[in-house]
């Protein structure tokens, strides 16, 4: 059965690995949008690189790099409308930036302050999920709510290949199929879940084909081709808004960095993998596409790079000027009324901190 499915399955690609467009497949995006997309890709890469440096300098906590995932993230977020809801995970910097989330807040969170995840009014982006796959059933709940309220918004949920082995993935997608919810599930299949390779994650030939078990379509796309991700997500959003039910998109990519700054991928990753994936770089391919259209030049590149650097430097300064987390923050927002045992722990923590300060 797997073989038959594979024969029917093909990976959607609009830009080939040389950045050349496959005739007749281009989505309807004008010059302004395409330039904006490129700017977001450069901003994401610049902001990501800066976060890694800040972590190495002791100015940021453990950080999960988005290097190589720019097409997955921006391609997913770009076609969204303000009324749509997004349930991201910990590797979604480009998603946040595309939706207009303040970079200073995103940094503030990774600097160890949950206040950075308090979404500004008007943005329907939920706190990024650290517990793998926990955001999936939540996104289905939000989609069911939208259905009942007769709203026309779609709900996008992103997650990694590792999330597909969790019960939450099955439960969420099963509900979505049964209740025909307006969900768009986007799996960034970056070939690794920390040190677990894709081959040990699932025996399914593709992740996209898992959708057929839940009774809705699954599409596999080249996750390093931003136009392919954009096209697949746009189509899935249109289905969701039209009441045609959920879609699972598998965006095939590669985690070019370590899992997080606490990981050393050289201990398990075959060395040649990076050599295979480097030429497939999503920014390089999209830049060639823009150049072929006559919309990329050195001056444009410089303007985009300078703007990204300025945005990033401002965000770092702002994040570092915000007040640090307090002991109360650890206990806030979980219970309406804090249970006595936690009150005691908080008091003890505060006593120990005062004790330290007094020494
Ligand atoms: C429920 C749960 N189990 C285990 C972990 C530890 N953990 C953090 S990330 C991760 C792997 C995630 O891999 P994947 O879903 O492929 O996402 P990626 O990191 O590759 O983007 C694991 C096991 C966790 N955060 N949550
Ligand atoms: Mg992964």
């Amino acid at each position: 059965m797997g073989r038959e499915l594979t024969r029917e399955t093909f990976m959607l690609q609009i830009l080939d690995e040389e950045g050349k467009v496959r005739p007749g497949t281009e989505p309807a995006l004008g010059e302004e949008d395409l330039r904006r997309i490129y700017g977001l890709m450069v901003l994401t890469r610049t902001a990501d690189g800066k976060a890694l440096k800040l972590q190495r300098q002791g100015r940021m906590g453990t950080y999960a790099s988005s290097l190589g995932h720019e097409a997955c993230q921006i391609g997913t977020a770009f076609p969204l409308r303000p009324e749509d809801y997004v349930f991201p995970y910990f590797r979604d910097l480009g998603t946040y930036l595309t939706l207009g989330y303040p970079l200073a807040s995103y940094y503030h969170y990774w600097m160890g302050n949950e206040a950075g995840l308090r979404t500004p009014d008007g943005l329907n982006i939920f706190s990024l999920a650290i517990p793998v796959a926990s955001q999936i059933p939540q996104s289905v709940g939000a989609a069911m709510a939208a259905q009942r309220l007769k709203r026309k918004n779609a709900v996008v949920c992103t997650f990694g290949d590792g999330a597909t082995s969790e019960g939450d993935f099955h439960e969420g997608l099963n509900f979505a199929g049964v209740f025909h919810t307006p969900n768009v599930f986007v799996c960034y299949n970056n070939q690794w879940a920390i040190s677990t390779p894709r081959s040990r994650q699932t025996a399914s030939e593709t992740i996209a084909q898992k959708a057929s078990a839940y009774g809705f379509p699954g599409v596999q796309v080249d996750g390093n081709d931003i136009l392919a991700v954009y096209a697949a997500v746009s189509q899935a959003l249109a289905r969701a808004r039209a009441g045609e039910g959920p879609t699972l998109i598998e965006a095939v990519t590669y985690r070019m960095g370590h899992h997080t700054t606490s990981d050393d991928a050289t201990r398990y990753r075959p060395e040649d993998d990076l050599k295979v994936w480097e030429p497939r770089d999503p920014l390089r391919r999209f830049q060639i596409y823009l150049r072929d259209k006559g919309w990329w030049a050195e001056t444009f590149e410089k303007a985009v790079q300078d703007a990204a650097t300025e945005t990033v430097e401002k965000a770092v300064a702002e994040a570092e000027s915000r007040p640090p987390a307090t002991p109360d923050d650890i206990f806030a927002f979980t219970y309406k009324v804090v249970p006595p045992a936690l009150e005691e722990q908080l008091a003890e923590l505060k006593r120990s901190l005062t004790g330290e300060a007094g020494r």
Side-chain angles (χ1 to χ4, degrees), residues 89-91 130-132 160-163 166 190 192-194 255 259:
Y89 80 117
F90 52 78
R91 206 183 300 288
I130 298 283
V132 171
D161 42 301
E166 291 281 356
N190 64 8
W192 294 97
I194 313 185
R255 196 193 73 210
H259 170 66

Side-chain angles (χ1 to χ4, degrees), residues 16-260:
D16 71 13
E17 294 195 1
E18 291 311 312
K20 300 288 173 201
V21 69
R22 296 184 184 277
T25 57
E26 269 174 282
L29 282 166
E31 177 179 350
E32 203 188 313
D33 277 341
L34 292 170
R35 282 177 185 261
R36 261 188 64 215
I37 288 175
Y38 187 69
L40 286 164
M41 291 178 99
V42 169
L43 176 61
T44 301
R45 187 156 292 184
T46 310
D48 192 67
K50 184 70 184 186
L52 290 171
K53 284 194 190 124
L54 292 171
Q55 196 279 336
R56 293 293 185 241
Q57 293 166 359
R59 294 157 71 191
M60 188 169 278
T62 301
Y63 177 73
S65 167
S66 282
L67 185 64
H69 301 72
E70 298 87 355
C72 293
Q73 300 170 350
I74 298 158
T76 296
F78 201 82
L80 293 173
R81 293 182 188 156
E83 66 269 25
D84 296 328
Y85 278 74
V86 185
F87 288 75
Y89 80 117
F90 52 78
R91 206 183 300 288
D92 257 318
L93 170 61
T95 313
Y96 274 88
L97 291 176
T98 304
L99 296 171
Y101 198 88
L103 178 58
S105 298
Y106 191 83
Y107 278 162
H108 197 209
Y109 167 72
W110 289 99
M111 285 173 179
N113 198 320
E114 63 77 32
L117 283 191
R118 293 182 206 161
T119 303
D121 284 346
L123 278 185
N124 295 331
I125 185 160
F126 272 66
S127 307
L128 58 87
I130 298 283
V132 171
S134 57
Q135 71 279 27
I136 300 174
Q138 292 168 357
S139 75
V140 178
M144 290 173 81
Q147 253 176 345
R148 281 169 196 228
L149 295 168
K150 303 211 182 322
R151 293 202 183 135
K152 286 275 169 247
N153 62 300
V155 182
V156 168
C157 181
T158 61
F159 46 89
D161 42 301
T164 66
S165 302
E166 291 281 356
D168 276 354
F169 171 84
H170 167 74
E171 291 156 27
L173 270 71
N174 190 55
F175 257 82
V178 170
F179 292 97
H180 222 58
T181 57
N183 279 105
V184 178
F185 302 105
V186 186
C187 176
Y188 306 161
N189 172 11
N190 64 8
Q191 317 304 325
W192 294 97
I194 313 185
S195 55
T196 302
R198 162 65 181 82
S199 57
R200 301 297 297 271
Q201 194 62 251
T202 172
S204 304
E205 297 223 28
T206 69
I207 286 173
Q209 78 186 45
K210 289 178 184 287
S212 67
Y214 303 109
F216 56 85
V219 196
Q220 193 186 49
V221 304
D222 182 339
N224 284 14
D225 171 1
I226 190 150
L227 296 183
V229 179
Y230 173 86
V233 172
S234 301
Q235 208 181 356
L237 287 170
R239 272 177 44 79
R241 291 181 187 124
E244 290 166 19
T247 308
L248 170 64
I249 295 167
E250 173 190 1
V252 179
T253 186
Y254 197 83
R255 196 193 73 210
M256 298 302 285
H258 305 288
H259 170 66
T260 64

